[in-house]
Amino acid sequence: DSPLRSFKGIGPVIAAAIHGETLSVQRFATANRLARYNGTAPREDSSGRTPRFVKNHRCNRRLRQAFMQLALLAPRHQPASAAYMQHLATRGITGGAARVRLARRLTSIVFAMLRDQRSYDLELYRSRKNAAA
């Protein structure tokens, strides 16, 4: 009875992992907080004037693995995810770095779906993202 199953690429195992590890999406005020918790948002490790961002090892590893698995499957099932991966490839970002960026984007989508208890609708997500910007 989860809205996550409406997103092609999220099967019962990934949906169960996301629900089980987050417990309740109300624990997170924003999608950025969820991304920091699941490790798809980089952690700042700066010294001096030069900002530097590194992989966040202080995260929920099971949840990170679920989102990374989703980032591997989503381009096969979602044209928008495939287009984003192609966009990253044209910018020279490939492999694991591209998967992490897609996982971060998918974190925002999953957060919105769980927060609103609505099934996946790409146009609704895009309109809200454009309104926020």
Side-chain angles (χ1 to χ4, degrees), residues 4-81:
L4 294 180
R5 295 298 306 273
S6 65
F7 189 89
K8 291 185 181 184
I10 297 181
V13 174
I14 293 177
I18 291 171
H19 280 295
E21 295 298 327
T22 57
L23 299 178
S24 173
V25 78
Q26 280 73 29
R27 293 175 46 201
F28 307 101
T30 63
N32 291 335
R33 297 259 174 101
L34 178 60
R36 276 188 255 143
Y37 179 73
N38 72 18
T40 56
R43 180 177 60 87
E44 185 173 357
D45 188 24
S46 302
S47 177
R49 296 180 189 180
T50 307
R52 186 172 65 131
F53 295 94
V54 297
K55 180 180 175 182
N56 186 0
H57 292 284
R58 301 171 191 156
C59 64
N60 184 321
R61 287 179 171 79
R62 285 184 222 100
L63 192 57
R64 177 181 171 84
Q65 185 61 36
F67 275 99
M68 294 305 286
Q69 185 69 30
L70 178 58
L72 187 65
L73 295 172
R76 296 180 195 168
H77 301 287
Q78 297 289 335
S81 295

Side-chain angles (χ1 to χ4, degrees), residues 75-125:
R76 296 180 195 168
H77 301 287
Q78 297 289 335
S81 295
Y84 183 64
M85 290 295 278
Q86 184 63 36
H87 168 72
L88 291 175
T90 59
R91 292 180 51 203
I93 303 167
T94 59
R99 274 184 59 204
V100 170
R101 289 182 184 209
L102 179 60
R104 172 62 185 92
R105 182 171 277 200
L106 293 172
T107 298
S108 296
I109 293 172
V110 166
F111 176 80
M113 289 168 56
L114 291 175
R115 180 194 60 208
D116 300 338
Q117 286 296 310
R118 296 183 71 161
S119 59
Y120 176 67
D121 182 12
L122 179 62
E123 296 308 319
L124 177 66
Y125 172 72

